[in-house]
Amino acid sequence: MLRKVVLVHLAALLSAASPLASANPNSNFTYDEKDFLLDGKSFQIIGGQMDPQRIPREFWRQRLQMARAMGLNTIFSYIFWNDLEPNPGQWNFHDRNDIRGFFRIAQEEGLYAVLRPGPYICGEHEWGGFPAWLSQVDGMKVRENNDQFLNATKRYLDRLGSELWGLQITQGGPILMNQLENEYGSFGNDKAYLQRTADILRENFEVFLYTNDGGGNKTSLDGGTLHGVLAATDGRDPKTGFKNRDELNDPTMLGPQLYGEYWLQWFDNWAASVTHSNGSADERTIEGHINNLEWVLQGKNSFNIYMFHGGTNFGFESGSTGDNPTTAVTSSYDYGAPLDETGRPTEIYHKLRDMISKHVPAGSIPDIPGLPKIAEVAEFSMKPALSLFDSRSSQPQKQANSPVTMESLGQSYGFVLYEHKLDKDISGTLSPGDKPRDRVIVYINGKKVGVIDCTYKSPATVPLDVKKGDVLQLLVENLGRVDFSLAMKDQVKGIVGDVKIGNEILKGWATYSLPISQLPSLLNKTVSAEDTPVFYTGSFILPDGTETDQSGDILLTFPKGIKGQVWVNGINMGRYWTIGPQQSLYIPGCYVKDHAMSNDVVVLELEPKAGTELTGKGVATREWFNSPDPDAP
């Protein structure tokens, strides 16, 4: 019996010789009880995940060519709502947010696409893709049948739909289908919410919907599926996932089996004890992955490799995966993927390519493009240029009895500086609000006296013995909102509640917003590297014979740095942290100037050490290791 048939137009048959470049109005894409159907013929989705907002726009085509060369025919992509709408009604579809441009290039390179717009996407991304300003809307409850949330969701999906309408398969584009929410059964079971979200998606897209939930847990499948929507599963065990999916009681959820995320490896988080999640860890692990995915193909079923290419959490875009402790995700989203963060194939890439080639027509997989080596850069000096505290505005953004939150300042990312002048002597342990959010550096009269770091389950305590007239400063860093959507109050950053020393509540706070969305002027400034955070400046020139684009890719490291942020030619590349496991930052060659020109580097070092010269260098190979935490409790 036919469970469900949804007809859509198809662009053109996929092949290495004839990529999807134009529409064919006589084609269609649908599914029956067992198969996805392309022009009435069985079509297996051999997919891999790539999120365009984690990849330099200039490198989208190369990454997509590498996907084709591994044998993939479809790209799955999360869309990050928070990057598209950083403030209510303020839209950004430029550069890495040019989602329409990404799917057009995918089509030109012979790839179909599956859209994963959320509104919630998880992905170890900042608040699972939700904009920070949602927490400031009265009555807001995310991922629930809540009018405030669904109204905001509708505005987002309406706008995304208008951007991508012409790229659906029905309109001659590459987008085959659209995911409803993401692993919702691991969060809740509000069918009214799922139905209203599905209705919004159907208003804006013609392609059919599917859900994706953890295949090893029947409760997750029961909670995350919806009547009339094809159900898919994910995890590391497709056999169990497929079995559990087929046992769903609602036949309108059944159809071809899709393993919506096959997890090859895992993400990395900042910690002195965490090792890099390596996709080529050992032969036995790789063999297990190959066997699982070949089993899927042999059964005429479909899969999406998560991640095929992870990319980078540029700037302040990485999220956290827990709040007790705060599990802050690294700048690199390498994920141990077949295509590493720099766009170069790993051992498992070649083995997957060999396996896939057995299940597709001979000659349909193109050759692997050649790639240059990573450029090396000799060690260069970084000079202190400006104290972070001197870059603040002349007047605080807020003066109040109690500290105010980051979001109430209209700020989503970066830092907030809180300042209080003591009106009497006090001794006791510092309590910065209801809990530290997420890392608090404590200063008395401009001297660092401690760090409260919530990446530890039991953060360090900071005892204080302050005198009347002393100035207490708290620099609070947002390390990323939790990606699986905790209660709204837990997604607020900065200081929430009163600051206490012992049992004494401190009243009277000046609050300074430090989002560092743009670098301050660093010209004609001199400063000595003391305890407070310092901007350093330096520069490098590519070696002779090196050109930009991928031949100019660099792995930049700061051997004497503790923790901070890096800009190259004005672009925020992400965080570094001595604790590891990430010990080098990927600098895409498209952001680097030709070898005859100087490349400007700015580093905000949060914990400079007097008498220690900060240096940078570009290394030839990726460095993954751990170092002791100088701020460990």
Side-chain angles (χ1 to χ4, degrees), residues 2 45 145 193 208 246 284 344 477 507 540 570 584 631:
L2 185 66
I45 296 175
N145 185 22
Y193 161 65
F208 63 78
D246 275 344
R284 185 175 179 181
R344 289 162 173 83
E477 179 181 7
K507 295 292 186 181
F540 66 85
S584 56
D631 300 311

Side-chain angles (χ1 to χ4, degrees), residues 5 87 167 201 238 271 343 364 367 389 462 473 594:
V5 177
N87 295 297
L167 289 170
L201 285 166
S364 65
D367 292 338
F389 293 176
V462 178
Q473 293 173 305
D594 288 331

Side-chain angles (χ1 to χ4, degrees), residues 68 320 428 501 508 525 571 616:
R68 284 278 290 128
S320 297
I501 299 177
K525 301 283 186 179
I571 302 171

Side-chain angles (χ1 to χ4, degrees), residues 196 262 272 335 339 359 367 390 396 405 428 461 469 501 553 584:
R196 289 182 68 182
Y262 180 83
Y335 216 91
L339 199 68
H359 299 273
D367 292 338
D390 289 340
T405 65
T461 56
I501 299 177
D553 283 355
S584 56

Side-chain angles (χ1 to χ4, degrees), residues 219 234 379 406 608:
T219 301
D234 69 17
E379 189 171 26
M406 176 179 285

